[in-house]
PDB file of all heavy atoms in Angstrom:
ATOM      1  N   GLY Z 292      -1.156   6.910  14.795  1.00  0.00           N
ATOM      2  CA  GLY Z 292      -1.826   7.299  15.934  1.00  0.00           C
ATOM      3  C   GLY Z 292      -3.093   8.143  15.630  1.00  0.00           C
ATOM      4  O   GLY Z 292      -2.985   9.185  15.078  1.00  0.00           O
ATOM      5  N   ILE Z 296      -4.505  14.757  17.776  1.00  0.00           N
ATOM      6  CA  ILE Z 296      -3.534  15.486  16.887  1.00  0.00           C
ATOM      7  C   ILE Z 296      -3.334  14.690  15.572  1.00  0.00           C
ATOM      8  O   ILE Z 296      -3.368  15.407  14.419  1.00  0.00           O
ATOM      9  CB  ILE Z 296      -2.148  15.664  17.561  1.00  0.00           C
ATOM     10  CG1 ILE Z 296      -2.439  16.239  19.012  1.00  0.00           C
ATOM     11  CG2 ILE Z 296      -1.209  16.538  16.818  1.00  0.00           C
ATOM     12  CD1 ILE Z 296      -3.201  17.528  19.079  1.00  0.00           C
ATOM     13  N   GLU Z 315      -3.888   3.029  13.859  1.00  0.00           N
ATOM     14  CA  GLU Z 315      -4.164   3.218  15.307  1.00  0.00           C
ATOM     15  C   GLU Z 315      -4.165   1.888  16.003  1.00  0.00           C
ATOM     16  O   GLU Z 315      -4.796   0.890  15.536  1.00  0.00           O
ATOM     17  CB  GLU Z 315      -5.508   3.903  15.528  1.00  0.00           C
ATOM     18  CG  GLU Z 315      -6.129   3.857  16.897  1.00  0.00           C
ATOM     19  CD  GLU Z 315      -5.181   4.540  17.941  1.00  0.00           C
ATOM     20  OE1 GLU Z 315      -4.755   5.676  17.776  1.00  0.00           O
ATOM     21  OE2 GLU Z 315      -5.000   3.882  19.009  1.00  0.00           O
ATOM     22  N   LYS Z 316      -3.441   1.859  17.177  1.00  0.00           N
ATOM     23  CA  LYS Z 316      -3.390   0.542  17.844  1.00  0.00           C
ATOM     24  C   LYS Z 316      -4.661   0.154  18.635  1.00  0.00           C
ATOM     25  O   LYS Z 316      -4.915  -1.001  18.854  1.00  0.00           O
ATOM     26  CB  LYS Z 316      -2.098   0.423  18.685  1.00  0.00           C
ATOM     27  CG  LYS Z 316      -2.042   1.226  19.916  1.00  0.00           C
ATOM     28  CD  LYS Z 316      -0.754   0.982  20.684  1.00  0.00           C
ATOM     29  CE  LYS Z 316      -0.689   1.855  21.940  1.00  0.00           C
ATOM     30  NZ  LYS Z 316       0.636   1.848  22.575  1.00  0.00           N
ATOM     31  N   ARG Z 317      -5.351   1.166  19.035  1.00  0.00           N
ATOM     32  CA  ARG Z 317      -6.665   0.851  19.728  1.00  0.00           C
ATOM     33  C   ARG Z 317      -7.559   0.238  18.760  1.00  0.00           C
ATOM     34  O   ARG Z 317      -7.651   0.658  17.572  1.00  0.00           O
ATOM     35  CB  ARG Z 317      -7.254   2.070  20.338  1.00  0.00           C
ATOM     36  CG  ARG Z 317      -6.501   2.638  21.569  1.00  0.00           C
ATOM     37  CD  ARG Z 317      -7.251   3.812  22.146  1.00  0.00           C
ATOM     38  NE  ARG Z 317      -6.912   5.045  21.454  1.00  0.00           N
ATOM     39  CZ  ARG Z 317      -7.536   6.258  21.691  1.00  0.00           C
ATOM     40  NH1 ARG Z 317      -8.551   6.302  22.501  1.00  0.00           N
ATOM     41  NH2 ARG Z 317      -7.186   7.345  21.014  1.00  0.00           N
ATOM     42  N   CYS Z 326      -7.687  12.098  30.324  1.00  0.00           N
ATOM     43  CA  CYS Z 326      -7.444  13.516  29.940  1.00  0.00           C
ATOM     44  C   CYS Z 326      -8.605  14.328  30.519  1.00  0.00           C
ATOM     45  O   CYS Z 326      -9.737  13.916  30.419  1.00  0.00           O
ATOM     46  CB  CYS Z 326      -7.351  13.620  28.450  1.00  0.00           C
ATOM     47  SG  CYS Z 326      -7.214  15.367  27.847  1.00  0.00           S
ATOM     48  N   THR Z 327      -8.295  15.566  31.109  1.00  0.00           N
ATOM     49  CA  THR Z 327      -9.384  16.329  31.669  1.00  0.00           C
ATOM     50  C   THR Z 327     -10.225  17.009  30.547  1.00  0.00           C
ATOM     51  O   THR Z 327     -11.518  17.078  30.715  1.00  0.00           O
ATOM     52  CB  THR Z 327      -8.788  17.366  32.589  1.00  0.00           C
ATOM     53  OG1 THR Z 327      -7.892  16.703  33.441  1.00  0.00           O
ATOM     54  CG2 THR Z 327      -9.878  18.028  33.455  1.00  0.00           C
ATOM     55  N   LEU Z 329      -9.739  20.208  29.369  1.00  0.00           N
ATOM     56  CA  LEU Z 329      -9.883  21.601  29.576  1.00  0.00           C
ATOM     57  C   LEU Z 329      -9.120  22.349  28.509  1.00  0.00           C
ATOM     58  O   LEU Z 329      -7.891  22.129  28.324  1.00  0.00           O
ATOM     59  CB  LEU Z 329      -9.334  22.003  30.954  1.00  0.00           C
ATOM     60  CG  LEU Z 329     -10.170  22.113  32.175  1.00  0.00           C
ATOM     61  CD1 LEU Z 329      -9.407  22.629  33.394  1.00  0.00           C
ATOM     62  CD2 LEU Z 329     -11.331  22.991  31.889  1.00  0.00           C
ATOM     63  N   ARG Z 375     -13.626  14.421  26.042  1.00  0.00           N
ATOM     64  CA  ARG Z 375     -12.383  14.068  25.404  1.00  0.00           C
ATOM     65  C   ARG Z 375     -12.506  12.764  24.613  1.00  0.00           C
ATOM     66  O   ARG Z 375     -11.980  12.606  23.547  1.00  0.00           O
ATOM     67  CB  ARG Z 375     -11.302  14.025  26.438  1.00  0.00           C
ATOM     68  CG  ARG Z 375      -9.936  13.535  25.972  1.00  0.00           C
ATOM     69  CD  ARG Z 375      -9.421  14.300  24.782  1.00  0.00           C
ATOM     70  NE  ARG Z 375      -8.697  13.435  23.914  1.00  0.00           N
ATOM     71  CZ  ARG Z 375      -7.411  13.100  24.139  1.00  0.00           C
ATOM     72  NH1 ARG Z 375      -6.738  13.748  25.019  1.00  0.00           N
ATOM     73  NH2 ARG Z 375      -6.798  12.295  23.298  1.00  0.00           N
ATOM     74  N   VAL Z 399       2.251   0.221  14.680  1.00  0.00           N
ATOM     75  CA  VAL Z 399       3.508   0.388  13.956  1.00  0.00           C
ATOM     76  C   VAL Z 399       4.642   0.096  14.902  1.00  0.00           C
ATOM     77  O   VAL Z 399       4.812   0.659  15.950  1.00  0.00           O
ATOM     78  CB  VAL Z 399       3.562   1.855  13.440  1.00  0.00           C
ATOM     79  CG1 VAL Z 399       4.934   2.062  12.758  1.00  0.00           C
ATOM     80  CG2 VAL Z 399       2.459   2.153  12.394  1.00  0.00           C
ATOM     81  N   SER Z 431       2.001   9.506  17.935  1.00  0.00           N
ATOM     82  CA  SER Z 431       1.570   8.353  18.717  1.00  0.00           C
ATOM     83  C   SER Z 431       1.642   8.616  20.283  1.00  0.00           C
ATOM     84  O   SER Z 431       1.662   7.717  21.114  1.00  0.00           O
ATOM     85  CB  SER Z 431       2.505   7.159  18.380  1.00  0.00           C
ATOM     86  OG  SER Z 431       3.857   7.486  18.473  1.00  0.00           O
ATOM     87  N   ARG Z 525      -1.409   8.175  32.769  1.00  0.00           N
ATOM     88  CA  ARG Z 525      -0.769   8.284  31.468  1.00  0.00           C
ATOM     89  C   ARG Z 525       0.347   9.305  31.536  1.00  0.00           C
ATOM     90  O   ARG Z 525       0.262  10.267  32.322  1.00  0.00           O
ATOM     91  CB  ARG Z 525      -1.824   8.838  30.498  1.00  0.00           C
ATOM     92  CG  ARG Z 525      -1.504   8.535  29.051  1.00  0.00           C
ATOM     93  CD  ARG Z 525      -2.833   8.543  28.208  1.00  0.00           C
ATOM     94  NE  ARG Z 525      -3.460   9.743  28.236  1.00  0.00           N
ATOM     95  CZ  ARG Z 525      -3.418  10.645  27.195  1.00  0.00           C
ATOM     96  NH1 ARG Z 525      -2.657  10.412  26.171  1.00  0.00           N
ATOM     97  NH2 ARG Z 525      -4.133  11.715  27.291  1.00  0.00           N
ATOM     98  N   ASP Z 545       1.958  15.105  21.548  1.00  0.00           N
ATOM     99  CA  ASP Z 545       2.623  14.724  22.811  1.00  0.00           C
ATOM    100  C   ASP Z 545       3.871  13.906  22.446  1.00  0.00           C
ATOM    101  O   ASP Z 545       4.846  13.971  23.161  1.00  0.00           O
ATOM    102  CB  ASP Z 545       1.697  13.725  23.551  1.00  0.00           C
ATOM    103  CG  ASP Z 545       0.850  14.460  24.616  1.00  0.00           C
ATOM    104  OD1 ASP Z 545       0.611  15.685  24.313  1.00  0.00           O
ATOM    105  OD2 ASP Z 545       0.432  13.869  25.558  1.00  0.00           O
ATOM    106  N   GLY Z 557      -1.819  19.338  26.323  1.00  0.00           N
ATOM    107  CA  GLY Z 557      -1.133  19.228  25.031  1.00  0.00           C
ATOM    108  C   GLY Z 557      -2.077  19.413  23.809  1.00  0.00           C
ATOM    109  O   GLY Z 557      -1.601  19.337  22.681  1.00  0.00           O
ATOM    110  N   LEU Z 558      -3.343  19.643  24.121  1.00  0.00           N
ATOM    111  CA  LEU Z 558      -4.275  19.688  22.952  1.00  0.00           C
ATOM    112  C   LEU Z 558      -3.944  20.940  22.127  1.00  0.00           C
ATOM    113  O   LEU Z 558      -3.872  20.833  20.899  1.00  0.00           O
ATOM    114  CB  LEU Z 558      -5.713  19.713  23.439  1.00  0.00           C
ATOM    115  CG  LEU Z 558      -6.134  18.377  24.093  1.00  0.00           C
ATOM    116  CD1 LEU Z 558      -7.544  18.472  24.721  1.00  0.00           C
ATOM    117  CD2 LEU Z 558      -6.229  17.290  22.968  1.00  0.00           C
TER     118      LEU Z 558
HETATM  119  C1  FAD H1700      -4.560  13.174  33.473  1.00  0.00           C
HETATM  120  C2  FAD H1700      -4.360  13.999  32.265  1.00  0.00           C
HETATM  121  C3  FAD H1700      -5.092  15.148  32.117  1.00  0.00           C
HETATM  122  C4  FAD H1700      -4.939  15.931  30.921  1.00  0.00           C
HETATM  123  N1  FAD H1700      -5.710  17.080  30.812  1.00  0.00           N
HETATM  124  C5  FAD H1700      -5.513  17.857  29.749  1.00  0.00           C
HETATM  125  C6  FAD H1700      -6.323  19.025  29.522  1.00  0.00           C
HETATM  126  O1  FAD H1700      -7.142  19.347  30.396  1.00  0.00           O
HETATM  127  N2  FAD H1700      -6.072  19.747  28.429  1.00  0.00           N
HETATM  128  C7  FAD H1700      -5.114  19.481  27.501  1.00  0.00           C
HETATM  129  O2  FAD H1700      -4.914  20.219  26.576  1.00  0.00           O
HETATM  130  N3  FAD H1700      -4.432  18.368  27.622  1.00  0.00           N
HETATM  131  C8  FAD H1700      -4.588  17.495  28.632  1.00  0.00           C
HETATM  132  N4  FAD H1700      -3.871  16.352  28.780  1.00  0.00           N
HETATM  133  C9  FAD H1700      -2.910  16.113  27.717  1.00  0.00           C
HETATM  134  C10 FAD H1700      -3.588  15.475  26.481  1.00  0.00           C
HETATM  135  O3  FAD H1700      -4.431  14.385  26.843  1.00  0.00           O
HETATM  136  C11 FAD H1700      -2.600  15.179  25.386  1.00  0.00           C
HETATM  137  O4  FAD H1700      -1.862  16.320  25.166  1.00  0.00           O
HETATM  138  C12 FAD H1700      -3.281  14.730  24.104  1.00  0.00           C
HETATM  139  O5  FAD H1700      -3.898  13.529  24.246  1.00  0.00           O
HETATM  140  C13 FAD H1700      -2.217  14.617  23.010  1.00  0.00           C
HETATM  141  O6  FAD H1700      -2.760  14.035  21.880  1.00  0.00           O
HETATM  142  P1  FAD H1700      -1.951  13.245  20.834  1.00  0.00           P
HETATM  143  O7  FAD H1700      -2.837  12.956  19.635  1.00  0.00           O
HETATM  144  O8  FAD H1700      -0.637  13.847  20.625  1.00  0.00           O
HETATM  145  O9  FAD H1700      -1.610  11.860  21.605  1.00  0.00           O
HETATM  146  P2  FAD H1700      -2.570  10.744  22.198  1.00  0.00           P
HETATM  147  O10 FAD H1700      -3.858  11.350  22.657  1.00  0.00           O
HETATM  148  O11 FAD H1700      -1.756  10.053  23.196  1.00  0.00           O
HETATM  149  O12 FAD H1700      -2.800   9.777  20.968  1.00  0.00           O
HETATM  150  C14 FAD H1700      -1.803   8.929  20.500  1.00  0.00           C
HETATM  151  C15 FAD H1700      -2.510   7.745  19.777  1.00  0.00           C
HETATM  152  O13 FAD H1700      -1.538   7.002  19.147  1.00  0.00           O
HETATM  153  C16 FAD H1700      -1.851   5.568  19.311  1.00  0.00           C
HETATM  154  N5  FAD H1700      -0.503   4.840  19.240  1.00  0.00           N
HETATM  155  C17 FAD H1700       0.493   4.940  20.080  1.00  0.00           C
HETATM  156  N6  FAD H1700       1.577   4.210  19.572  1.00  0.00           N
HETATM  157  C18 FAD H1700       1.128   3.679  18.409  1.00  0.00           C
HETATM  158  C19 FAD H1700       1.743   2.757  17.403  1.00  0.00           C
HETATM  159  N7  FAD H1700       2.990   2.427  17.600  1.00  0.00           N
HETATM  160  N8  FAD H1700       1.016   2.376  16.316  1.00  0.00           N
HETATM  161  C20 FAD H1700      -0.326   2.867  16.220  1.00  0.00           C
HETATM  162  N9  FAD H1700      -0.917   3.684  17.085  1.00  0.00           N
HETATM  163  C21 FAD H1700      -0.244   4.068  18.190  1.00  0.00           C
HETATM  164  C22 FAD H1700      -2.444   5.544  20.708  1.00  0.00           C
HETATM  165  O14 FAD H1700      -3.220   4.353  20.909  1.00  0.00           O
HETATM  166  C23 FAD H1700      -3.280   6.821  20.748  1.00  0.00           C
HETATM  167  O15 FAD H1700      -4.604   6.655  20.239  1.00  0.00           O
HETATM  168  C24 FAD H1700      -4.000  15.567  29.901  1.00  0.00           C
HETATM  169  C25 FAD H1700      -3.256  14.371  30.045  1.00  0.00           C
HETATM  170  C26 FAD H1700      -3.404  13.583  31.253  1.00  0.00           C
HETATM  171  C27 FAD H1700      -2.588  12.330  31.399  1.00  0.00           C
END
Side-chain angles (χ1 to χ4, degrees):
I296 309 306
E315 167 57 48
K316 72 177 176 191
R317 287 184 277 172
C326 175
T327 314
L329 266 183
R375 176 52 212 275
V399 174
S431 51
R525 200 155 64 98
D545 272 23
L558 291 171

